[in-house]
């Protein structure tokens, strides 16, 4: 990977700094003993993961503060670690029930299965840490079952829908007059971005962090920063290569804002494009292709994963390319494809020749 723009700090390092600053702000609202927990898990977690845990634990302690008459008299940051031993299994079960629907600052907040599971994971992690450190006598959170996640059918684009999507991005068909005003300026960027997502299966957070020096056209390799905090190289097909080269020719003529000089994908404001902007971009084009499916960047990732699995039949390859640490995660998502393969295998076996 050649570094053509200098030694600008990587996007993910900047994001880590932002997350660390936010983390300090959230820590000031949590019980003081939580600092020991976050110091303890720092070597094995990313700044983003710790920040997510901090937000989720804050919700838990706010719940205790609002629901428990004796704790209501104490500021949350003054809670002692002893309250963890006082909490019963039923208290945590009631907390999970509370998460289904509650109000905060006059705003109604709901949590489905996934949201409850994430908050429960944070609680379990904290209890486990203090239990192993022998600072609490009971690991109460471990006694509560994790919320069951119901399997959802994979939503993805069919091959004809993928072709229609990319054709529409190029032509600007069905865009409103307001959207068409910017289409000529963003067309090459949008084609390159969507082709890249569909052709590699990378996450939208990985996509927005790509710099010029992350691309190697000699090998069709792309260096990305994975969700787990490590760097890896994925490879892209010729169609992605062509779309990237076309866009980069235009990108070289754009003067970016300070701090975005090395960013591959820029917004209309000539700053590094954001995750939210890519989500809106995908929605804008996809709603003209299908109204029955809610297509998001993650659904484009599912489309790639399904296509790769149908072509290769190799679940381990799909897990590796998608960056899943556990192949069972991949297998769970593509179970329907497994069934289709098994049905196809049944038709391949012939015990006697047809008479």
């Amino acid at each position: 990977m050649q570094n053509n723009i200098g030694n600008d700090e990587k996007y993910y390092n900047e994001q880590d700094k932002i997350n660390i600053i936010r983390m300090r702000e959230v820590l000031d609202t949590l019980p003081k003993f939580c600092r020991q927990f976050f110091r303890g898990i720092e070597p094995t977690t990313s700044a983003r993961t710790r920040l997510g845990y901090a937000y989720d634990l804050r919700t838990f302690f706010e719940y205790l503060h609002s629901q428990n008459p004796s704790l209501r008299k104490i500021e949350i940051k003054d809670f002692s670690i002893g309250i963890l031993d006082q909490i019963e299994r039923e208290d945590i079960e009631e907390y999970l029930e509370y998460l289904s629907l509650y109000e905060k600052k006059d705003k109604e907040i709901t949590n489905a299965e996934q949201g409850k599971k994430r908050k429960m994971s944070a609680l379990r992690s904290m209890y486990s840490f203090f239990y192993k450190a022998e600072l609490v006598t009971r690991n109460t959170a471990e006694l509560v079952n994790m919320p069951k996640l119901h399997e959802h059918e994979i939503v993805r684009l069919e091959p004809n829908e993928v072709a229609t999507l990319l054709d529409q991005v190029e032509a600007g068909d069905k865009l409103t007059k307001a959207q068409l005003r910017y289409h000529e300026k963003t067309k090459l960027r949008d084609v390159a971005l969507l082709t890249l997502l569909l052709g590699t299966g990378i996450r939208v957070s990985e996509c927005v962090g790509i710099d010029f020096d992350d691309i190697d056209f000699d090998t069709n390799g792309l260096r990305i920063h994975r969700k787990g905090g490590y760097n890896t190289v994925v490879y892209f097909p010729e169609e992605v290569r062509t779309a990237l080269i076309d866009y980069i020719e235009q990108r070289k003529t754009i003067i970016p804002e300070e701090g975005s000089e090395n960013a591959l994908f820029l917004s209309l404001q000539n700053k590094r494009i954001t995750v939210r902007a890519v989500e809106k971009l995908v929605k804008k084009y996809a709603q003209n292709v299908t109204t029955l499916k809610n297509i998001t960047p993650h659904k484009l990732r599912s489309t790639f994963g399904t296509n790769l699995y149908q072509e290769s039949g190799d679940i381990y390859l799909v897990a590796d390319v998608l960056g899943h640490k556990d192949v069972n995660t991949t297998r769970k998502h593509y179970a329907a494809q497994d069934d289709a393969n098994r049905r196809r295998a049944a038709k391949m076996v012939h015990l006697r020749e047809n008479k």
Side-chain angles (χ1 to χ4, degrees), residues 175-183:
L175 294 180
T176 65
K177 287 183 179 179
Q179 291 170 338
L180 281 170
R181 282 206 301 270
Y182 303 104
H183 180 251

Side-chain angles (χ1 to χ4, degrees), residues 84-97:
L84 297 183
D85 269 331
Q86 296 170 24
I87 292 169
E88 301 293 339
R89 172 178 179 171
E90 188 177 357
D91 295 324
I92 298 177
E93 290 172 342
E94 288 176 353
Y95 167 61
L96 287 175
E97 185 180 348

Side-chain angles (χ1 to χ4, degrees), residues 191-291:
V191 170
L193 200 155
L194 291 175
T195 305
L196 178 63
L197 291 174
L198 285 162
T200 62
I202 61 174
R203 298 176 177 90
V204 63
S205 58
E206 297 161 351
C207 179
V208 301
I210 297 171
D211 289 336
F212 274 109
D213 57 359
D214 290 325
I215 307 172
D216 186 347
F217 285 113
D218 290 336
T219 63
N220 281 8
L222 176 67
R223 179 175 56 207
I224 57 170
H225 188 70
R226 283 294 193 196
K227 184 180 177 182
Y230 63 96
N231 292 334
T232 191
V233 175
V234 298
Y235 296 91
F236 49 84
E238 284 300 312
E239 195 171 355
V240 174
R241 173 191 174 91
T242 301
L244 286 174
I245 289 174
D246 289 345
Y247 165 64
I248 286 173
E249 285 303 307
Q250 181 191 60
R251 168 67 178 83
K252 288 176 181 176
T253 67
I254 302 172
I255 300 173
E257 291 290 318
E258 185 178 350
S260 297
E261 293 87 352
N262 205 21
L264 176 63
F265 293 113
L266 297 178
S267 67
L268 281 167
Q269 291 73 39
N270 296 337
K271 297 179 181 179
R272 184 186 295 274
I273 200 167
T274 63
V275 169
R276 179 68 183 134
V278 176
E279 289 171 344
K280 291 172 70 175
L281 183 156
V282 170
K283 182 179 180 180
K284 176 179 74 174
Y285 290 115
Q287 65 188 4
N288 292 328
V289 176
T290 172
T291 56

Side-chain angles (χ1 to χ4, degrees), residues 156-173:
R156 59 185 182 276
L157 290 171
E158 298 299 328
N160 64 307
E161 292 174 327
V162 170
T164 301
L165 174 67
L166 295 177
D167 287 345
Q168 286 198 10
V169 178
E170 288 183 338
D173 292 345

Side-chain angles (χ1 to χ4, degrees), residues 4 33 52 54 68 80 90 107-108 122 127-128 136 143 151 159 167 175 197 242 255 276 279 310 352:
N4 359 356
F33 61 81
N68 189 301
S80 70
E90 188 177 357
K107 185 179 179 182
E108 203 173 76
Y127 259 97
S128 177
V136 297
L143 302 176
E151 298 298 328
D167 287 345
L175 294 180
L197 291 174
T242 301
I255 300 173
R276 179 68 183 134
E279 289 171 344
Q310 286 176 338
R352 292 192 295 172

Side-chain angles (χ1 to χ4, degrees), residues 13 26 43 45 68 79 94 125 128 155 166 189 192 250 271 349:
N13 290 331
V26 181
T45 56
N68 189 301
F79 284 2
E94 288 176 353
S125 181
S128 177
V155 177
L166 295 177
R189 180 202 69 184
Q250 181 191 60
K271 297 179 181 179
V349 178

